[in-house]
Amino acid sequence: MENMDLIEHIQQKFPRMSKGQKAIATFIMENYDKAAFMTAGALGRTVGVSESTVVRFACVLGYEGYPKLQKHLQEIIKNKLTTVQRLNLMEGLEADKIIDTVLKMEINNLKTTRQDLDINMFKNVVDDLVKARRIFVIGFRSSAPLAQFLVYYLSYIFESPQLITLGTSDIYAQLVHVCHEDVVIGMGFPRYSNQTVEGLRFAKRRGAKIVTITDNKISPLYELADNCILTKSDMNSFVDSLVAPLSIINALIIMAGLARKDYLVENFSVMEQVWREKNVYAKHDFDFMHKDQQGGE
């Protein structure tokens, strides 16, 4: 049932449900953005049934319990929620509650990402990058800063990684020369950008190896990937959580840098000299580091 639309599944089961189960089903179909984040007890009180009825409802749909149903509902609807619906999820909360909720979700995203991470697959991604002739990175909308950050650091580790942009040249023209020797990295989170998906699909047809960074197995980026790094991005509001994805990207950059250490050290040595000559960084930063190295105050 993983790839089935949950709302459609509920509709199919609806005629054979009890009166109480139908009340739950109706509420979920009409208010899925709220139901996905309600406990079994809260959902039961809202529709006027017992918590045990809510649990049995989940079993009728084929789940082991309500938490499994809730998790699946959250994953499926994330890409369906409009920005306004996502904004409403934290409406009415006090400032301290909003801060606590956001930080707890980010901590949970990091923990879950680490628990579920396939280390061998992660190593395979690094190997793919090291062996690639060229590297292309695609990330649009809220994922654009992640793509830019990744390309910025990869440019010190590899020769001319290319950021695919939505500029004067369309994404297909920028990818037209990719081949089986190249790696294309795509990243996307709910709501997934069609342009990212289409760019990856085009690159895959051209024979490139596809690496994706996304949130779960029902993501359209997952099915296109030769290797997919899954990282949680849950946030019950209109903003996208990029903490765990950025942490994964940092780890990827560091591992790639260590694999190409000699090349990286050579590049940084050159750039450090240029930065000093061109006063790229504020002078007191260098003064501070110099004093620190000399044991100065």
Side-chain angles (χ1 to χ4, degrees):
M1 189 171 59
E2 185 172 20
N3 294 320
M4 177 182 286
D5 189 302
L6 180 56
I7 303 303
E8 180 182 347
H9 185 60
I10 292 174
Q11 290 172 338
Q12 292 175 356
K13 294 283 188 178
F14 191 85
R16 297 184 295 277
M17 291 180 182
S18 66
K19 182 179 178 180
Q21 291 168 354
K22 286 182 178 179
I24 300 169
T26 300
F27 181 82
I28 290 177
M29 289 187 290
E30 294 178 354
N31 305 276
Y32 57 84
D33 55 320
K34 296 179 181 179
F37 303 99
M38 298 173 69
T39 64
L43 179 55
R45 289 191 297 272
T46 300
V47 301
V49 301
S50 66
E51 183 174 343
S52 60
T53 301
V54 176
V55 175
R56 287 195 295 271
F57 172 79
C59 294
V60 167
L61 294 179
Y63 296 93
E64 295 178 0
Y66 178 74
K68 295 290 186 180
L69 165 61
Q70 185 182 42
K71 180 179 179 181
H72 194 189
L73 180 60
Q74 289 174 356
E75 289 178 347
I76 290 178
I77 70 170
K78 277 192 298 186
N79 197 39
K80 294 182 177 180
L81 292 179
T82 66
T83 303
V84 173
Q85 287 173 323
R86 296 172 76 180
L87 174 62
N88 290 337
L89 293 175
M90 287 195 189
E91 186 178 11
L93 295 181
E94 297 294 333
D96 60 335
K97 294 297 182 183
I98 292 176
I99 293 172
D100 289 343
T101 299
V102 170
L103 293 181
K104 286 178 181 177
M105 292 194 72
E106 297 293 17
I107 291 170
N108 185 66
N109 284 338
L110 289 168
K111 288 182 177 179
T112 304
T113 296
R114 179 61 186 93
Q115 290 169 0
D116 297 341
L117 189 63
D118 185 335
I119 300 300
N120 288 329
M121 184 275 300
F122 200 92
K123 292 178 180 178
N124 290 338
V125 170
V126 175
D127 289 340
D128 289 341
L129 295 179
V130 171
K131 296 175 183 177
R133 182 185 66 158
R134 292 177 302 180
I135 299 170
F136 299 82
V137 180
I138 306 176
F140 300 133
R141 303 186 68 81
S142 63
S143 296
L146 294 176
Q148 293 167 357
F149 182 87
L150 177 58
V151 170
Y152 173 79
Y153 280 101
L154 289 185
S155 65
Y156 292 113
I157 305 171
F158 302 99
E159 294 182 7
S160 304
Q162 183 174 338
L163 176 66
I164 304 302
T165 63
L166 295 175
T168 55
S169 177
D170 64 42
I171 57 176
Y172 307 108
Q174 296 172 70
L175 291 167
V176 71
H177 296 298
V178 300
C179 67
H180 68 280
E181 296 178 294
D182 301 325
V183 170
V184 178
I185 304 174
M187 55 192 74
F189 303 88
R191 304 157 74 189
Y192 310 102
S193 166
N194 280 329
Q195 291 164 314
T196 299
V197 175
E198 289 304 315
L200 291 174
R201 186 172 288 126
F202 178 78
K204 192 175 185 69
R205 290 198 300 267
R206 300 287 302 172
K209 179 159 288 188
I210 306 298
V211 173
T212 61
I213 302 174
T214 190
D215 61 321
N216 61 62
K217 293 182 179 180
I218 64 173
S219 164
L221 281 72
Y222 180 83
E223 62 184 19
L224 294 171
D226 294 294
N227 285 304
C228 180
I229 301 174
L230 295 178
T231 172
K232 301 301 289 184
S233 64
D234 295 342
M235 181 58 64
N236 296 344
S237 190
F238 65 98
V239 298
D240 293 321
S241 170
L242 302 181
V243 173
L246 182 57
S247 297
I248 286 296
I249 288 172
N250 276 335
L252 187 63
I253 291 169
I254 291 170
M255 289 180 65
L258 291 174
R260 300 257 297 174
K261 183 178 178 180
D262 291 344
Y263 185 80
L264 180 60
V265 168
E266 179 182 351
N267 285 339
F268 270 138
S269 297
V270 172
M271 292 310 301
E272 286 288 352
Q273 182 64 35
V274 172
W275 292 335
R276 288 177 181 273
E277 292 175 355
K278 303 299 181 182
N279 292 320
V280 172
Y281 296 108
K283 190 173 186 299
H284 72 275
D285 289 341
F286 290 111
D287 289 344
F288 175 81
M289 288 188 291
H290 179 72
K291 289 179 181 178
D292 185 62
Q293 292 170 356
Q294 298 298 321
E297 297 181 357

